[in-house]
Amino acid sequence: MHQTVIVIDGGSPTVQLLGRYVRESGVYCEIIPCQKVTQELIQQYLNKNLKGIILAGPQHCDSQDYATIAPKYVFEAGVPILAVAGSMPAMAAQVGSNLNVHVRCSRNDNSVTTAQIRARGHTALLDGIQDHTNSEGHGLLFVALETSFCLSEVPDNFVLMASTDDFPIAGIANEEKGLYGIQFYPELNITSQGAAIINRFVRTICGCVGDWRMSDYINEAIETIRAQVGDDQVILGLSGGVDSSVAATLIHKAIGNQLTCVFVDHGLLRLNESKQVLDMFGSNIGINIIHVDASDRFMTQLSGVTDPEEKRKIIGREFVEVFQEHANSIPGAKWLAQGTIYPDVIESATTGPNKGVAVKSHHNVGGLPDTLHLSLLEPLRDLFKHEVRDLGIALGLPHSMVYRHPFPGPGLGVRILGEIKVQYAEILRHADSIFIEELRNSTNNSTGKSWYDSVSQAFAVFVPVRSVGVTDHGRAYEYVIALRAVETVDYMTAQWANIPYSLLNRVSERIIAEVSGVSRVVYDISGKPPATIEWE
Ligand code: XMP
């Protein structure tokens, strides 16, 4: 049984990043919404090798929430506890101190700011971790500081661990009991030593040895799949995306020919994508694949439809129907395998103003209904995305496949604005392949990686507007291609990528020269929010 650290989510917007840092330290971790935590649950985890607890507080918390965010019994579990941001005062109050907390700003303010804290007292958590030292030899750290509250005194039995001029009590520790509180977010990029602090907590303070490694996980996962499935047949909807590809490869390694993949081509895939998927998984790995070319069917259903949501719904519905027809033809199938990953499973306790507001209905290929009457097999449901990638590499999948940018389920359908036509899809596929090829072949000198690997997602968009141009053959009146490249960690916010002009220029020249029907190329410089990453 793996050593485990649990993160109790009191409503932190970045709780998944916190969990990710723990896993990156080689320690298994689960994220549990605070409302689901009970004394019995903590006991169950203790029986399963629980080594530490992180309390991921909300940004703003009222004293009446303290018992939910930091229940008293967690402090009696006998394992070290790290209380982050809003859970720091909650912890201090719960362990018995008469505490004065000043609320500094209202719930609607953006209360996270960059600050430099001074690490004090040489606690085990921060000792030797610093960005630089001041003239008196004190360690200084840049952090993403939560400013919505301020402790007015160090709680009883705690020592001061960190401070700034404005927030003299920005970190507290009771080392005897293994309790640490920090008023900043170690999981945010601004906190440059965040990974080191989490690593220190889980490896040194909790004493975890780092027994969570993807190379070991393969054998464990294979045993679990074999035990679950027995001699039954399994079906998987392969999309060519990272998650379904890694799931297919892992399951195939476990049960070989008992797995059949159904690969539905809706006619809105990227250039040569269908062939690549069939070559890789069919010819190379030897997985049974049913290849369904349903492009005519999708195009017929989409004819004349311009509304983005309507397009998404049609693609989703048709996908399910086509998949179902073929799945029903596989005799003896009892299991439906899906590439569900941990972030899909985590129920965040966040109650922020945007929680639950669907900007777009995301249709994920693989989100199939239960009318198939199959049991679900989800071998990646414990893994974060970066772990799925590590697993893919450990399984021998090529880097270019495992580190491919995300591609939406409705494919080019949301990148052709308005009505989808075969001619538009062809133009877009060609333009997109030029953009991606140039990104792959150009090096970003500041990272040493290709521009493709330096950005989080890049693609071309077909804009069905015609503009005037001049070509060798005279006046042209042709379509517009927009290029989009973004940098993001969570895909909920994103910045447009600062790609060199020379590279954009090369892409533009090539698209106009090589793709007939395009006379103008533009680069999208909108951030998210307000613009979403996809154009539809
Ligand atoms: P937006 O456009 O909402 O995209 O900023 C955020 C991320 O989600 C992807 N995306 C989708 N993925 N089905 C999917 O499977 C969809 O309908 C869909 N719409 C957007 C998008 O590519 C980006 O990575």
Side-chain angles (χ1 to χ4, degrees):
M1 200 158 296
H2 294 287
Q3 296 179 324
T4 301
V5 166
I6 56 172
V7 179
I8 298 181
D9 179 12
S12 163
T14 47
V15 67
Q16 290 196 26
L17 298 176
L18 206 45
R20 177 188 164 144
Y21 270 172
V22 177
R23 296 269 188 105
E24 280 178 350
S25 296
V27 176
Y28 182 69
C29 137
E30 290 185 21
I31 297 173
I32 309 163
C34 60
Q35 293 86 347
K36 291 209 169 150
V37 175
T38 59
Q39 197 160 0
E40 293 71 49
L41 189 75
I42 297 294
Q43 189 54 50
Q44 282 167 22
Y45 276 102
L46 283 168
N47 298 341
K48 285 195 304 189
N49 220 354
L50 180 69
K51 303 297 275 184
I53 297 175
I54 298 178
L55 303 175
Q59 279 180 277
H60 307 269
C61 82
D62 301 326
S63 53
Q64 71 262 25
D65 299 330
Y66 286 171
T68 318
I69 294 161
K72 277 205 166 125
Y73 49 78
V74 300
F75 302 101
E76 286 146 22
V79 295
I81 291 180
L82 175 64
V84 174
S87 53
M88 178 174 97
M91 171 178 78
Q94 290 292 88
V95 292
S97 188
N98 259 339
L99 190 76
N100 227 334
V101 179
H102 298 298
V103 174
R104 303 267 290 225
C105 55
S106 79
R107 278 179 184 275
N108 296 327
D109 291 339
N110 181 7
S111 54
V112 182
T113 188
T114 304
Q116 201 175 37
I117 59 156
R118 184 178 141 192
R120 289 168 181 268
H122 303 294
T123 54
L125 186 70
L126 299 183
D127 188 20
I129 298 180
Q130 63 209 22
D131 289 320
H132 56 100
T133 41
N134 66 10
S135 53
E136 289 136 36
H138 298 300
L140 296 172
L141 295 147
F142 285 106
V143 297
L145 190 74
E146 177 56 56
T147 61
S148 61
F149 63 85
C150 182
L151 296 195
S152 60
E153 70 221 76
V154 177
D156 293 347
N157 306 320
F158 279 78
V159 294
L160 182 61
M161 181 167 68
S163 58
T164 73
D165 288 346
D166 293 338
F167 294 83
I169 306 167
I172 53 174
N174 175 336
E175 296 218 85
E176 206 183 309
K177 291 200 167 153
L179 307 180
Y180 298 86
I182 48 180
Q183 193 167 343
F184 58 88
Y185 296 90
E187 69 272 29
L188 293 183
N189 280 347
I190 300 169
T191 308
S192 40
Q193 300 296 333
I197 294 168
I198 294 296
N199 191 284
R200 174 70 61 78
F201 178 69
V202 298
R203 298 292 287 261
T204 308
I205 295 172
C206 300
C208 295
V209 295
D211 61 0
W212 177 250
R213 286 178 296 262
M214 276 308 109
S215 47
D216 301 344
Y217 179 75
I218 294 180
N219 292 333
E220 233 177 83
I222 286 176
E223 287 314 311
T224 311
I225 293 167
R226 286 186 182 147
Q228 249 182 308
V229 169
D231 296 328
D232 297 341
Q233 293 290 319
V234 177
I235 308 172
L236 181 141
L238 186 65
S239 70
V242 180
D243 302 340
S244 70
S245 299
V246 173
T249 312
L250 179 65
I251 297 169
H252 179 257
K253 209 170 167 71
I255 58 168
N257 282 339
Q258 287 166 254
L259 170 71
T260 304
C261 292
V262 178
F263 173 48
V264 178
D265 181 351
H266 47 32
L268 297 165
L269 297 173
R270 289 163 288 192
L271 192 70
N272 298 330
E273 189 157 16
S274 215
K275 182 172 176 328
Q276 283 163 7
V277 170
L278 295 172
D279 285 352
M280 161 72 64
F281 297 99
S283 315
N284 286 359
I285 304 182
I287 299 178
N288 295 327
I289 302 186
I290 299 176
H291 173 216
V292 190
D293 182 354
S295 25
D296 289 346
R297 174 171 173 167
F298 278 83
M299 286 302 155
T300 309
Q301 292 298 321
L302 288 164
S303 167
V305 182
T306 55
D307 178 64
E309 282 302 283
E310 189 61 24
K311 282 160 59 177
R312 269 197 168 74
K313 285 204 183 94
I314 292 171
I315 296 172
R317 186 192 65 214
E318 288 300 307
F319 179 87
V320 169
E321 277 178 20
V322 173
F323 184 89
Q324 245 168 326
E325 283 163 24
H326 288 83
N328 285 335
S329 71
I330 299 167
K334 297 243 171 61
W335 296 85
L336 176 67
Q338 291 190 335
T340 314
I341 67 172
Y342 196 45
D344 305 330
V345 175
I346 298 170
E347 250 180 278
S348 173
T350 307
T351 50
N354 294 324
K355 173 78 179 157
V357 178
V359 179
K360 296 171 189 172
S361 62
H362 281 201
H363 157 65
N364 280 309
V365 170
L368 295 163
D370 49 16
T371 46
L372 281 166
H373 304 299
L374 299 170
S375 308
L376 275 186
L377 179 67
E378 299 180 314
L380 310 180
R381 61 180 285 125
D382 288 339
L383 305 186
F384 283 100
K385 191 79 175 187
H386 73 282
E387 294 171 322
V388 173
R389 293 204 161 106
D390 289 350
L391 181 60
I393 295 290
L395 285 165
L397 291 174
H399 181 277
S400 56
M401 209 244 95
V402 167
Y403 284 89
R404 220 167 177 196
H405 294 168
F407 187 60
L412 303 183
V414 291
R415 296 179 181 171
I416 296 169
L417 304 194
E419 186 179 1
I420 300 169
K421 293 187 182 168
V422 174
Q423 180 213 0
Y424 296 171
E426 275 165 11
I427 291 176
L428 178 57
R429 252 191 283 273
H430 193 172
D432 185 74
S433 74
I434 291 172
F435 185 28
I436 298 303
E437 183 183 312
E438 289 294 338
L439 290 173
R440 283 199 188 276
N441 292 340
S442 317
T443 306
N444 174 352
N445 294 330
S446 59
T447 62
K449 295 192 285 188
S450 73
W451 269 101
Y452 182 87
D453 285 329
S454 303
V455 302
S456 313
Q457 197 170 3
F459 52 89
V461 176
F462 180 85
V463 187
V465 167
R466 294 205 288 173
S467 84
V468 175
V470 184
T471 68
D472 294 345
H473 312 291
R475 182 180 179 277
Y477 186 50
E478 294 176 323
Y479 294 111
V480 178
I481 285 290
L483 305 176
R484 179 93 163 123
V486 295
E487 284 169 12
T488 174
V489 177
D490 53 15
Y491 292 85
M492 287 152 69
T493 59
Q495 298 84 44
W496 56 274
N498 208 342
I499 293 178
Y501 288 166
S502 54
L503 173 51
L504 288 172
N505 186 46
R506 202 159 55 244
V507 175
S508 164
E509 283 181 355
R510 278 196 60 195
I511 291 177
I512 291 171
E514 296 174 33
V515 184
S516 81
V518 178
S519 61
R520 196 173 292 267
V521 174
V522 298
Y523 187 55
D524 181 349
I525 52 164
S526 332
K528 174 182 180 179
T532 50
I533 295 175
E534 302 290 347
W535 274 38
E536 278 197 344

